[in-house]
């Protein structure tokens, strides 16, 4: 029942003393207490009755009201022989807590019985209302209905705010003044079971797709209320709302739409070697501005918690609200996005916001520098190189931007794949075969040797070997490859081969 209904109960004759303007909370239960701090026994939404046995002086009123207000009660009804002290009135006004005076001839048991009877009657009628609400919800979610009208209806009917939120904390629709949705999103991604009540933000979290794993690619609905206090019909309605939002979420997945198919073919043709002229022609077909600069973002996964198909919604969330052209080629999700400025830092921040949902996924992301439309292929190759560098770092989720790429690696961005394979094979195959046959580590030793700029002692320390052993291995590498590691040219070629393999 609502607070305004409490004063209208004729048999109680409750007198409103403090009535905050524009505030009409929902009363979900009634509790009687004479403890100075009963907050541990309150969960929010109660009408608290008290005979003021806890009050030894004016300061006790401030302590009591502060405690029950922090617990989130709906209202306070007090009386000591029909009298409410001024210090209690002042404390309630200070905290904006509704206060009623209970007449001397009305027992607290009578108030409790009357309020509980009203609550039971309201709950009994909920089931009939649910069916009608559900029909209206389905109708409002029809073509063009969107999420806004749907959530407005739920908020109005249930008397509580609600929001549809993504895994990064982005609010898609809902009431004004949302909670800290980033904090709620973290709890959504890390909770073992859902629905869940987030006590820090005082909202209940319902997943849109109850089977979604990982949750980093899902949406959720947040209700400004503790779902554990709801009756069965109200809980059912929340689940129905989440199901309807799931339908709306499916509409934004463009994998089978005309635009999604065109985007897939556009990205595939670029990776397949389309000429600049062909790229510009296809951009006209799919509606991309050929005068705008673009960046490429490439993502892949090596873990078990995130499948390749889930990289598509993940990239869309990381780059929201930008429009992106997206395709999946050779186990990588490749996005092309307008980029008047560098996107690397923005992607890193977005990844950081959803990191709790990427644990165990082995997600790696590469970001290119902005480039002209005709050079999109070069941008994609650069982003792919960056992603491979991120993969080599072994982190659970890593982002590498173009600024971290070696200059010589960038220059090779347009070299065909077969040429790159031939280059690395010619240099490294003799070493790989030797390692396989003799159970040695020539490749690993060469990598550390180059990373330490040929410093024998530093290289030996990092490998936990004697310097003479390192010298022996370097000599064996020179014999197998016919190269001279004292020559700068040969060192550079080995360096590139190791990073392009």
């Amino acid at each position: 029942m609502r607070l305004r209904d409490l004063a209208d109960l004729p048999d109680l004759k409750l007198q409103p003393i403090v009535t905050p303007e524009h505030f009409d909370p929902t009363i979900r239960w009634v509790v009687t207490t004479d403890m100075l701090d009963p907050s541990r026994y309150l969960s929010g939404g109660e009408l608290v009755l008290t005979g003021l046995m806890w009050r030894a002086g004016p300061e006790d009123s401030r302590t009591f009201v502060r405690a029950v207000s922090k617990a989130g009660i709906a209202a306070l009804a007090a009386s000591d022989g029909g009298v409410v002290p001024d210090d209690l009135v002042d404390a309630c006004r200070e905290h904006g807590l509704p206060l009623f005076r209970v007449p001397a001839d009305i027992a607290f048991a009578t108030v409790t019985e009357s309020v509980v009877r009203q609550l039971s009657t309201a709950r009994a009628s909920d089931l009939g209302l649910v069916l009608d609400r559900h029909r209206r919800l389905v109708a409002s979610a029809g073509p063009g209905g969107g999420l806004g009208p749907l959530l407005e209806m739920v908020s109005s009917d249930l008397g509580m705010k609600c929001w549809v939120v993504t895994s990064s904390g982005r609010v898609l629709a809902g009431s004004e003044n949302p909670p800290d949705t980033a904090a709620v999103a973290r709890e959504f991604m890390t909770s073992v079971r859902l629905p869940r009540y987030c006590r820090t933000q005082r909202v209940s979290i319902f997943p849109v797709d109850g089977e979604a794993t990982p949750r980093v690619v899902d949406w959720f609905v947040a209700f400004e209320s503790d779902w554990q206090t709801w009756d069965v019909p109200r809980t059912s309605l929340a689940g129905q709302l989440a199901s309807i939002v799931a339908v709306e979420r499916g509409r934004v997945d463009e994998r089978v739409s005309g635009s999604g198919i065109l985007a897939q073919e556009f990205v595939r043709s670029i990776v397949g070697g389309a000429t600049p002229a062909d790229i510009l022609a296809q951009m006209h077909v799919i509606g991309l501005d050929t005068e705008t600069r673009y960046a490429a973002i490439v993502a892949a996964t090596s873990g078990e918690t995130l499948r390749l198909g889930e990289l598509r919604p993940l990239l869309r969330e990381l780059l929201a609200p930008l429009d992106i052209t997206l395709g999946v080629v050779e186990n990588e999700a490749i996005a092309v996005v307008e980029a008047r400025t560098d996107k690397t830092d923005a992607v890193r921040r977005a990844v950081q916001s959803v990191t709790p949902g990427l644990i165990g996924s082995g997600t790696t992301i590469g970001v290119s520098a902005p480039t002209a439309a005709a050079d999109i292929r070069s941008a994609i190759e650069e982003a792919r190189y960056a992603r491979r560098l991120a993969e080599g770092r072994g982190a659970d989720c890593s982002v590498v931007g173009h600024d971290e790429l070696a200059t010589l690696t960038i220059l090779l961005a347009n070299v065909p794949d077969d040429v790159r394979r031939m280059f690395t094979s010619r240099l490294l195959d003799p070493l790989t075969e030797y390692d396989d046959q003799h159970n040695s580590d020539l490749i690993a030793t060469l990598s550390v040797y180059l990373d330490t700029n040929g410093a024998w002692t530093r290289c030996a320390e990092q490998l936990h070997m004697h310097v003479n052993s390192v010298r022996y291995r370097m000599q064996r590498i020179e014999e197998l490859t016919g190269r001279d590691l004292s020559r700068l040219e040969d060192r550079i070629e080995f360096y590139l081969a190791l990073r392009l393999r």
Side-chain angles (χ1 to χ4, degrees):
M1 63 183 294
R2 305 307 293 265
L3 182 65
R4 62 173 177 266
D5 299 327
L6 188 62
D8 294 335
L9 297 178
D11 55 334
L12 297 184
K13 304 175 184 177
L14 298 181
Q15 178 187 355
I17 299 177
V18 178
T19 54
E21 190 175 0
H22 307 303
F23 184 55
D24 187 27
T26 299
I27 297 172
R28 67 169 187 83
W29 200 240
V30 58
V31 173
T32 300
T33 183
D34 277 312
M35 298 177 62
L36 181 61
D37 183 0
S39 57
R40 73 181 69 178
Y41 303 106
L42 302 172
S43 57
E46 296 94 347
L47 168 65
V48 172
L49 306 176
T50 180
L52 308 180
M53 293 290 292
W54 44 263
R55 181 180 177 274
E59 284 302 316
D60 288 341
S61 291
R62 296 174 62 89
T63 301
F64 178 82
V65 172
R66 182 167 56 248
V68 295
S69 294
K70 187 176 181 180
I73 71 169
L76 179 65
S79 174
D80 181 6
V83 176
V84 177
D86 292 340
D87 48 85
L88 180 61
V89 176
D90 293 339
C92 287
R93 286 197 177 117
E94 179 182 345
H95 288 271
L97 180 65
L99 173 64
F100 292 83
R101 185 183 69 84
V102 182
D105 59 341
I106 299 294
F108 283 176
T110 302
V111 177
T112 300
E113 180 182 353
S114 180
V115 172
V116 169
R117 185 167 56 249
Q118 291 293 323
L119 291 173
S120 299
T121 301
R123 287 171 178 167
S125 65
D126 270 354
L127 185 58
L129 293 175
V130 163
L131 298 177
D132 180 58
R133 285 181 187 141
H134 184 52
R135 283 191 291 270
R136 288 186 287 144
L137 290 179
V138 173
S140 72
L147 295 175
L150 185 146
L151 266 69
E152 288 176 7
M153 186 181 301
V154 171
S155 178
S156 174
D157 283 359
L158 298 187
M160 60 183 179
K161 297 179 179 179
C162 54
W163 303 267
V164 174
V165 188
T166 69
S167 59
S168 67
R170 187 164 55 96
V171 178
L172 299 177
S175 309
E176 296 180 349
N177 303 319
D180 182 354
T181 51
V184 180
R186 285 193 295 273
E187 187 146 358
F188 162 70
M189 287 186 287
T190 57
S191 296
V192 177
R193 293 182 180 179
L194 292 175
R196 178 178 178 83
Y197 180 57
C198 177
R199 292 190 177 276
T200 59
Q201 301 301 317
R202 295 189 177 183
V203 296
S204 293
I205 306 168
F206 279 70
V208 166
D209 183 357
E211 303 299 324
T213 304
R215 294 176 185 149
V216 70
V217 297
D218 195 14
W219 296 353
F220 64 91
V221 184
F223 297 90
E224 193 180 48
S225 176
D226 183 355
W227 73 279
Q228 298 169 98
T229 66
W230 300 350
D231 53 20
V232 173
R234 181 164 295 202
T235 305
S236 175
L237 180 60
Q240 292 168 358
L241 172 61
S243 299
I244 296 170
V245 174
V247 175
E248 187 72 16
R249 177 178 177 270
R251 291 172 181 166
V252 304
D253 188 348
E254 62 172 26
R255 280 177 293 182
V256 295
S257 69
S259 60
I261 294 172
L262 288 175
Q264 173 70 30
E265 292 306 314
F266 174 61
V267 172
R268 189 184 297 276
S269 68
I270 296 174
V271 175
T275 65
D278 289 338
I279 292 174
L280 293 175
Q282 291 184 61
M283 291 178 70
H284 283 296
V285 172
I286 62 178
L288 294 178
D289 185 359
T290 57
E291 300 299 321
T292 299
R293 292 173 66 80
Y294 292 88
I297 295 91
V298 177
T301 178
S302 60
E304 298 179 355
T305 62
L306 191 66
R307 297 182 294 272
L308 177 62
E310 292 166 334
L311 286 174
R312 187 186 299 266
L314 174 62
L315 268 183
R316 289 208 168 278
E317 182 58 30
L318 295 179
L319 297 171
L322 298 175
D323 289 330
I324 66 175
T325 302
L326 180 62
V328 176
V329 181
E330 298 177 4
N331 297 323
E332 291 179 320
I334 302 173
V336 176
V337 59
E338 287 190 12
R340 296 179 176 85
T341 58
D342 193 343
K343 297 295 178 186
T344 304
D345 288 342
V347 172
R348 285 187 178 126
R349 289 193 298 271
V351 168
Q352 186 176 14
S353 71
V354 298
T355 295
L358 293 175
I359 295 175
S361 69
T363 302
T364 51
I365 299 174
V367 184
S368 79
T371 186
D375 295 327
I376 287 180
R377 182 172 184 270
S378 176
I380 290 178
E381 289 297 326
E382 182 179 308
R384 296 179 87 182
Y385 278 125
R387 192 206 64 76
R388 291 170 193 164
L389 180 58
E391 190 174 49
R393 292 180 174 176
D396 194 60
C397 181
S398 181
V399 180
V400 169
H402 61 92
D403 55 319
E404 298 181 62
L405 292 177
T407 303
L408 286 175
T409 304
I410 296 176
L411 293 178
L412 290 174
N414 282 314
V415 176
D417 289 343
D418 55 347
V419 176
R420 291 200 301 273
R421 285 192 293 268
M422 181 178 65
F423 174 73
T424 57
S425 174
R426 179 166 52 86
L427 276 174
L428 301 181
D429 276 3
L431 306 183
T432 302
E433 293 173 3
Y434 186 89
D435 282 346
D436 292 342
Q437 293 175 8
H438 298 85
N439 195 29
S440 58
D441 293 307
L442 294 185
I443 290 288
T445 304
L446 175 61
S447 178
V448 175
Y449 175 79
L450 295 175
D451 287 342
T452 55
N453 296 316
W456 297 106
T457 303
R458 287 174 55 202
C459 180
E461 289 175 351
Q462 290 193 26
L463 292 171
H464 304 289
M465 297 173 57
H466 193 276
V467 172
N468 289 340
S469 298
V470 175
R471 293 181 185 274
Y472 170 78
R473 289 188 180 183
M474 293 300 103
Q475 181 181 349
R476 176 62 65 186
I477 290 171
E478 291 177 333
E479 292 172 353
L480 291 171
T481 61
R483 299 303 178 101
D484 183 357
L485 284 168
S486 66
R487 297 178 67 248
L488 177 61
E489 292 86 350
D490 287 344
R491 287 193 187 186
I492 290 174
E493 289 192 1
F494 275 125
Y495 176 85
L496 292 174
L498 286 170
R499 279 147 184 80
L500 297 179
R501 50 191 303 238

